[in-house]
């Protein structure tokens, strides 16, 4: 009888927990309801303080105490609405966040860019695969689980909003700023994968900001340094670039970040960045697409926005356009004063300000900031490096492996045959080699760094013929896996020559780099592993050891030989 009662009690508790989780209202639902806390805080703010809520400033924990103190002074003097954290460490950020929150009369909304998790900004944390690799994955449930894990990490160190995911459709291989940050070139794939990642984060209690509206994927200019121009028709933009935004807005995205791009088809004002365009922000995003959530500008100090609108005018126009949050103004104190001046001049209405402030305060309420609580400063690093997160990381890497050539040839590899395992582009022995060497016992390693000349290559070639099996890893050792991986011409010729042999290749680089490595289309085996990290090297090694069946599909078209959706 006791066991029966225990089972019933457990079942009721489980139902109660599930019901509570199911009853958690979304941010957008919360916006539609009367909220005593929001109204109470709102009514205590004067005009200047309301304007200040719209400005979010940069914070770091790796720039020293003087910098930290300067941000503390901004919080105390300006009453800004929130912070965008950049580089530092998780433990230090938790401590500093507690200090900053204690200085702010209205709780601060804490955000950061975490497209691949905390590791995008913080040391001692997990970096999940870049979105290009995630675009190859066919099991979308893995991306949902990643979203849940990222939400846990963010909340553990006191953050409330992730300025992610990136939902740009990267249909320009030469894109210098999005590229590997995109799920790929297919709008449906981008919307599906981004939707799962977003849903996981929001179900985990984290606000999100899909970006960069109305789509930064088809540009060859980086808006950090200049103003890109999109010369496409509205019909093209609506059917392609805007598609993932429309879908994720329909699915309940809490926030949308606006890009700095000049788009004459949507606003023909000369040199007008989309961030400052009322026809784009209010006309298209709010009115045509019906978006009710938070609208966040991209960083307001970027050249794409301040090149033509200087001395704080960009901040004023960003408010007029319809942005709720203006992040990283060149000078937030000046911006607040200029917005007040614009109010007096009737360039901006108080209703425009109030609308944004209530959305920001509601976001703070939804994130739990109505009940002030400090962050636990103990065991932070351990808590954001959970074993289950690391298991998921490897599952994501495994699921991204994309076999483009040589399924039959890889299946015939034998661990007993004489095997040479070569890593190109790196001076030292790699994890890829060590992992394979533990399996292929009768093997030797060679490495050729990215500048290797014909003499160095000849020394390796001298011995290759005595081996039965050749496995070659091509490694991009740069911090980020962009285009333009550097390999000497002699190395490229070596790759081309070895493609005509029985060699099996694994590319630890952005797949766009395949276009600069002619010959690989003829290879007897080719795995795309997307980036240099150890979890990718382990996954590729598992494929070559015939312990993992690769299921990934190429998320972009590289050339006539390697196209979107390819897998063998």
């Amino acid at each position: 009888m006791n066991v029966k009662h225990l089972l019933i009690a457990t079942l009721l508790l489980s139902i109660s927990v599930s019901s509570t989780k199911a009853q958690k209202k979304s941010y957008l639902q919360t916006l539609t309801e009367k909220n005593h806390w929001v109204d109470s805080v709102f009514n205590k703010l004067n005009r200047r303080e309301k304007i200040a809520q719209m400005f979010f400033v940069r914070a770091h924990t790796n720039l020293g105490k003087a910098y930290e103190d300067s941000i503390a002074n901004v919080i105390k003097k300006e009453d800004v609405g929130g912070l965008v954290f950049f580089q530092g460490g998780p433990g230090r950020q938790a401590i500093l966040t507690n200090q900053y929150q204690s200085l702010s009369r209205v709780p601060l909304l804490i955000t950061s860019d975490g497209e691949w998790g905390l590791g995008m900004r913080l040391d001692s944390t997990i970096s999940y695969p870049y979105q290009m690799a995630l675009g190859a994955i066919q099991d979308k449930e893995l991306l949902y689980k990643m979203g849940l894990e990222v939400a846990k990490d963010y909340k553990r160190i006191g953050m409330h909003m992730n300025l992610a995911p990136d939902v740009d459709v990267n249909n320009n291989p030469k894109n210098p700023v999005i590229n590997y940050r995109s799920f790929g070139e297919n709008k449906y794939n981008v919307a599906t994968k981004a939707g799962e990642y977003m849903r996981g984060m929001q179900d985990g209690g984290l606000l999100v900001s899909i970006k960069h509206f109305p789509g930064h994927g088809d540009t060859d200019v980086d808006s950090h340094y200049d103003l890109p121009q999109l010369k496409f028709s509205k019909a093209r933009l609506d059917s392609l670039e805007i598609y993932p935004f429309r879908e994720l807005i329909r699915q309940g995205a809490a926030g949308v970040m606006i890009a700095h791009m000049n788009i004459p088809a949507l606003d023909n004002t000369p040199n007008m960045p989309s961030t400052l365009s009322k026809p784009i922000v209010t006309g298209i995003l709010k009115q045509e697409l019906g978006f009710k959530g938070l609208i966040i500008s991209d960083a307001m100090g970027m050249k794409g926005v301040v090149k033509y609108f200087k001395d704080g005018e960009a901040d004023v126009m960003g408010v007029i356009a319809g942005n709720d949050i203006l992040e990283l103004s060149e000078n937030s104190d000046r911006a607040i004063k200029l917005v007040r001046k614009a109010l007096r001049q009737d360039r901006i209405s108080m209703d425009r300000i109030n609308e944004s402030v209530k959305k920001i305060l509601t976001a703070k309420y939804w994130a739990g900031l109505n009940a002030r609580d400090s962050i636990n400063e103990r065991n932070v690093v351990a808590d954001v490096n959970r074993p289950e997160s690391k298991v998921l990381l490897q599952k994501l890497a495994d699921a991204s492996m994309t076999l483009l050539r040589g399924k039959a040839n890889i299946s015939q590899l034998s661990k007993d045959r004489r095997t040479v395992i070569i890593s190109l582009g790196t001076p030292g022995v790699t994890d890829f080699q060590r992992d394979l060497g533990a399996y292929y016992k009768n093997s030797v390693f060679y490495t050729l760094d990215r500048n290797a000349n014909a003499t160095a290559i000849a020394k390796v070639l001298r011995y290759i013929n005595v081996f039965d099996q050749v496995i070659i890893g091509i490694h991009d050792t740069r911090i980020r896996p962009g285009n333009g991986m550097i390999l000497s011409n002699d190395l490229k010729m070596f790759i081309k020559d070895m493609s005509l042999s029985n060699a099996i290749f694994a590319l630890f680089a952005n797949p766009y780099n395949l276009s600069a490595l002619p010959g690989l289309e003829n290879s007897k085996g080719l795995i795309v592993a997307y980036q240099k990290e150890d979890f990718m090297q382990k996954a590729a090694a598992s494929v070559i050891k015939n312990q993992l069946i690769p299921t990934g599909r190429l998320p972009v078209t590289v050339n006539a030989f390697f196209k979107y959706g390819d897998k063998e």
Side-chain angles (χ1 to χ4, degrees):
M1 183 66 72
N2 288 339
V3 172
K4 182 179 179 182
H5 285 161
L6 180 62
L7 288 171
I8 292 171
T10 302
L11 179 61
L12 289 173
L13 178 62
S14 175
I15 292 171
S16 173
V17 170
S18 299
S19 176
T20 300
K21 183 177 179 181
Q23 289 171 3
K24 165 78 172 171
K25 293 185 178 72
S26 71
Y27 168 67
L28 296 178
Q29 289 172 321
T30 307
L31 272 177
T32 65
E33 301 174 348
K34 184 80 174 168
N35 190 301
H36 173 74
W37 183 83
V38 170
D39 291 342
S40 174
V41 175
F42 178 84
N43 290 331
K44 291 174 185 174
L45 300 176
N46 61 33
R47 281 190 169 196
R48 190 199 65 78
E49 291 166 340
K50 287 177 181 177
I51 294 166
Q53 283 295 301
M54 299 176 69
F55 288 88
F56 283 39
V57 299
R58 176 186 288 263
H60 282 256
T61 58
N62 71 331
L63 296 182
K65 191 172 187 306
Y67 183 88
E68 293 173 4
D69 289 346
S70 71
I71 301 305
N73 287 331
V74 169
I75 293 167
K76 286 188 287 187
K77 290 182 178 180
E78 298 177 24
D79 299 308
V80 292
L83 303 175
V84 184
F85 267 100
F86 284 80
Q87 281 74 19
R92 287 169 283 159
Q93 185 169 317
I95 293 168
L96 193 59
T97 298
N98 278 337
Q99 294 173 12
Y100 285 162
Q101 290 287 21
S102 71
L103 299 173
S104 183
R105 192 158 64 89
V106 178
L108 297 160
L109 194 71
I110 310 295
T111 73
S112 82
D113 287 291
E115 294 164 26
W116 47 91
L118 290 182
M120 182 166 173
R121 297 298 185 199
L122 304 181
D123 62 34
S124 310
T125 58
I126 290 175
S127 287
Y128 288 97
Y130 300 117
Q131 290 187 185
M132 181 71 78
L134 299 177
I137 294 174
Q138 301 306 297
D139 182 1
K140 63 184 183 180
E141 181 70 13
L142 289 172
L143 279 82
Y144 175 76
K145 291 177 179 177
M146 174 179 151
L148 290 174
E149 292 302 301
V150 170
K152 289 177 188 175
D153 291 340
Y154 263 63
K155 292 170 72 176
R156 175 62 186 87
I157 64 172
M159 289 200 285
H160 317 108
M161 185 177 206
N162 189 358
L163 302 175
D166 189 312
V167 305
D168 298 311
V169 180
N170 200 86
N171 45 5
N172 186 339
K174 296 180 180 178
N175 193 320
V177 64
I178 303 303
N179 205 298
Y180 62 88
R181 296 166 60 193
S182 167
F183 289 103
E185 70 176 38
N186 181 280
K187 66 182 182 180
Y188 303 111
N189 189 43
V190 170
T192 298
K193 304 294 169 56
E196 289 300 308
Y197 183 22
M198 177 189 82
R199 188 168 66 90
M201 286 191 284
Q202 293 193 154
D203 283 358
L206 193 63
L207 294 160
V208 305
S209 173
I210 60 176
K211 60 188 184 185
H212 304 80
F213 185 83
H216 210 314
D218 196 352
T219 173
D220 57 3
V221 173
D222 185 341
S223 52
H224 288 86
Y225 307 111
D226 206 343
L227 178 63
Q229 186 176 74
L230 266 64
K231 297 181 180 179
F232 308 120
S233 68
K234 184 175 181 183
R236 144 71 193 256
L237 293 162
D238 190 64
S239 65
L240 181 57
E241 276 79 7
I242 294 177
Y243 175 83
F245 292 96
R246 183 185 296 108
E247 284 299 300
L248 270 62
I249 287 169
R250 185 180 59 79
Q251 294 172 28
V256 172
M257 180 182 287
I258 312 293
H260 304 315
M261 296 185 298
N262 178 247
I263 313 172
L266 304 184
D267 186 339
N268 60 12
T269 307
N271 301 318
M272 177 63 72
S274 42
T275 340
L276 311 186
S277 168
K278 190 171 183 179
I280 293 175
V281 179
T282 295
I284 296 177
L285 181 56
K286 295 171 79 170
Q287 295 172 354
E288 288 187 22
L289 299 185
F291 181 62
K292 306 295 185 187
L294 283 169
I295 300 175
I296 303 105
S297 76
D298 207 343
M300 292 298 290
M302 290 165 61
K303 290 293 186 291
V305 71
V306 298
K307 181 177 180 179
Y308 298 103
F309 298 90
K310 301 180 185 299
D311 302 323
E313 176 63 10
D315 297 304
V316 174
M317 292 184 64
V319 174
I320 294 171
N323 292 281
D324 300 308
I325 294 171
L326 288 94
E327 58 156 358
L328 312 183
S329 167
E330 287 183 308
N331 185 327
S332 53
D333 182 51
R334 177 184 68 184
I336 293 164
K337 290 174 180 174
L338 288 174
V339 173
R340 291 179 72 190
K341 181 179 178 181
L343 271 171
R344 293 192 297 271
Q345 297 173 336
D346 292 327
R347 291 183 67 195
I348 303 173
S349 71
M350 201 61 215
D351 286 345
R352 165 78 274 281
I353 303 291
N354 290 341
E355 175 193 2
S356 290
V357 175
K358 286 192 174 181
K359 286 161 75 173
I360 293 165
L361 292 176
T362 302
K364 293 181 178 185
Y365 173 85
W366 187 85
L369 285 166
N370 57 307
R372 291 234 186 196
D373 192 15
S374 62
I375 306 159
N376 180 358
E377 297 174 1
R378 299 180 63 186
N379 302 317
V380 175
V381 172
D383 288 347
V384 295
N385 286 277
R386 299 177 300 281
E388 60 270 27
S389 299
K390 294 176 181 178
V391 169
L392 176 62
L393 174 62
Q394 192 59 55
K395 285 183 178 179
L396 288 161
D398 291 350
S400 74
M401 290 298 103
T402 305
L403 179 63
L404 297 179
R405 298 283 188 277
K407 182 178 180 180
N409 294 326
I410 291 173
S411 69
Q412 292 171 11
L413 292 173
S414 169
K415 65 179 180 180
D416 298 319
R417 291 184 189 144
R418 292 171 299 175
T419 305
V420 59
I421 307 166
I422 307 169
S423 280
L424 308 181
T426 176
V429 172
T430 62
D431 291 332
F432 178 64
Q433 289 173 297
R434 293 188 190 96
D435 196 331
L436 288 173
Y439 180 81
Y440 293 102
K441 299 290 187 181
N442 191 8
S443 63
V444 298
F445 303 156
Y446 292 106
T447 62
L448 291 166
D449 71 27
R450 65 184 189 178
N451 299 314
N453 59 25
T455 302
I457 294 168
K459 290 179 181 177
V460 174
L461 282 171
R462 192 178 306 154
Y463 301 105
I464 282 182
N465 289 336
V466 303
F467 292 97
D468 305 310
Q469 301 174 151
V470 181
I471 300 168
I472 301 174
I474 305 172
H475 300 258
D476 185 354
T477 58
R478 295 173 299 171
I479 294 174
R480 300 283 183 258
N483 294 359
M485 178 177 61
I486 298 171
L487 294 175
S488 70
N489 288 332
D490 289 335
L491 264 186
K492 290 180 180 179
M493 184 58 67
F494 173 70
I495 291 170
K496 186 175 183 179
D497 291 343
M498 294 307 299
S499 295
L500 299 174
S501 71
N502 66 343
I504 305 295
F505 291 87
L507 180 72
F508 300 101
N510 185 316
Y512 285 129
N513 288 291
L514 286 169
S515 64
L517 299 173
L520 283 175
E521 67 274 7
N522 301 314
S523 63
K524 303 303 185 292
L526 176 59
I527 300 160
V528 175
Y530 298 97
Q531 53 192 83
K532 64 181 172 59
E533 279 70 23
D534 56 355
F535 47 84
M536 289 296 189
Q537 295 188 47
K538 181 178 180 181
S542 294
V543 173
I544 293 172
K545 292 185 291 185
N546 288 297
Q547 296 171 351
L548 172 67
I549 298 173
T551 58
R553 289 183 176 272
L554 201 61
V556 292
T557 294
V558 176
N559 53 28
F561 303 108
F562 304 116
K563 297 181 179 180
Y564 169 80
D566 278 359
K567 72 179 285 284
E568 185 173 88

